[in-house]
Amino acid sequence: MLTKDSILTSTPATDLIADTVVRHPAKPQTPYQVLQLLPKDATPEQQDSAIQSWFQPGEIHYSEQPDTLHLPGHDKGHNPRDIRIPDYNKERFLADDSLYHPELAHEPFGVAGDPVPYNISNDNVISSLLLGCFIMSLLAFAVSRNFVVQQIKDFFYIPRREDIKTPTSNEVIALVFFALQTCLLLAMAYFFYVKAFVAETFVFAEEYLFIGLLFLIILVYTILKYPLYTLVNYTFFFGKNNGQWQYTMLLISAIEGALLFPAILFQSYFEAPPKNMVIYAIFVLSLVKIFTFYKCYIIFFRKNGLFLQIILYFCTLEIIPLLALWGVLGIITNALTINY
C-alpha cells in the first residue's frame, strides 16, 4: 500500500461553510472607521451626520474613589474638578526668576538699541493731512475754476474798470481755503528747513505738534496782513481798487500754495535733498513777491507814476512783515528745539 503525501491536503467542509457565510463588519470604534464606510465623494455635512449617528456623547462620570497615586509626604490627590495646581508643580529651580513672572516688574537685560529715526512719510497724521489737502484742493478748484482761470489769464493784463469781475461767495470761500493751505505748506517747508539745518529733536513728543504751532504762527501773520492792507489802502486809494487788491492777494496766495505743494510731496515721500527744497522754496517766495509788486503797481500806482511811493508801500507791507515773521519763527524754534 502506498502512503499519502503529507503535502497534499484537502479542504475541510467546515472551511467551505465558513467562506460561504456573509461577514458583517464590526461596529466602528473611531470616527476614522466611520469615514471609511462612506463613499469618497461624501460631503462634510454627510460625514458629520454619519459620525453623530454612530457616536452619541454621554455625560462624564468621574470616579468617587480617592486617588492613592500621590507623592510621599504630600496630601492625597484632589478632586479632578479642582483645577488648582499643586505646590510641587510650582516649585522649580527658576521659580523666583522674574522672567517666568511677567506680572512682576523687572529691568530688561542687554543694551538698548538705537530708536528708529522719525520720518514724515511714516507719520499717518501728516500723510492724512496732505491727502486731505489734495482732495479739498480739487473740490475748491472745481468750485472756483472759472474765476481762477480767468484771473490767471488776465494776471499780466491791465484791466479797465468795466472788466473787473467780483467773485461769488463760493469762489471767495475756495480762495480762503487755498490761503489756509498755503499757510500749512509754508509751515511744513520751514519744518523741513529746521530738521535739516537747525536741530532734529524738539520738546514736543510728536513732530506734527511743532508743525501745528508753525502753522498757527504763519496763519496769524497772514490774517494780520489783510487788516493792515485795508487800513493803508482805504486811506490813500479808491474802494474798488481795494476790493480788487484783496482778491488778488488771495489769488497770489493760492498760486504760492500750488507751487509749494509738489516740493512738499517730494521732500516727504521721496527724500529729496533738503538743500534743493530750501532753494526751491526761496525761489517760489521771490517769484510771489515779484508778482505782488507787479499787481500792486498795476492796481494802485500805474496812473500816478509814483515809483518811490510804491517802494515804500511794498517794503512796509510786505518785506518788513516777512522779516518779522522770520525772526519770530527763529525765536520759537530756538525755544522749542533740544540742542545737545
Side-chain angles (χ1 to χ4, degrees), residues 203-222:
V203 297
F204 295 109
E206 302 292 342
E207 301 288 346
Y208 57 84
L209 296 178
F210 182 62
I211 299 177
L213 180 60
L214 296 177
F215 168 72
L216 291 178
I217 295 174
I218 297 176
L219 179 62
V220 171
Y221 159 78
T222 304

Side-chain angles (χ1 to χ4, degrees), residues 1-5:
M1 295 180 60
L2 297 176
T3 59
K4 289 184 177 182
D5 190 356

Side-chain angles (χ1 to χ4, degrees), residues 137 140-141 144 147-149 151-152 155 171-183 185-186 222 226 246-262 284 288 291-292:
S137 298
F141 181 75
S144 60
F147 178 78
V148 172
V149 171
Q151 289 296 318
I152 292 176
F155 192 83
E171 293 173 344
V172 172
I173 293 174
L175 293 176
V176 171
F177 170 78
F178 283 128
L180 294 177
Q181 177 179 315
T182 302
C183 294
L185 296 177
L186 287 173
T222 304
Y226 287 93
Q246 296 290 340
Y247 301 140
T248 303
M249 288 181 60
L250 291 175
L251 178 63
I252 293 176
S253 180
I255 295 174
E256 183 180 7
L259 294 177
L260 284 175
F261 192 74
V284 170
V288 167
F291 288 162
T292 305

Side-chain angles (χ1 to χ4, degrees), residues 120-137:
I120 198 169
S121 61
N122 298 329
D123 196 325
N124 295 330
V125 176
I126 300 300
S127 300
S128 301
L129 196 59
L130 290 176
L131 181 60
C133 288
F134 177 74
I135 296 175
M136 294 300 295
S137 298

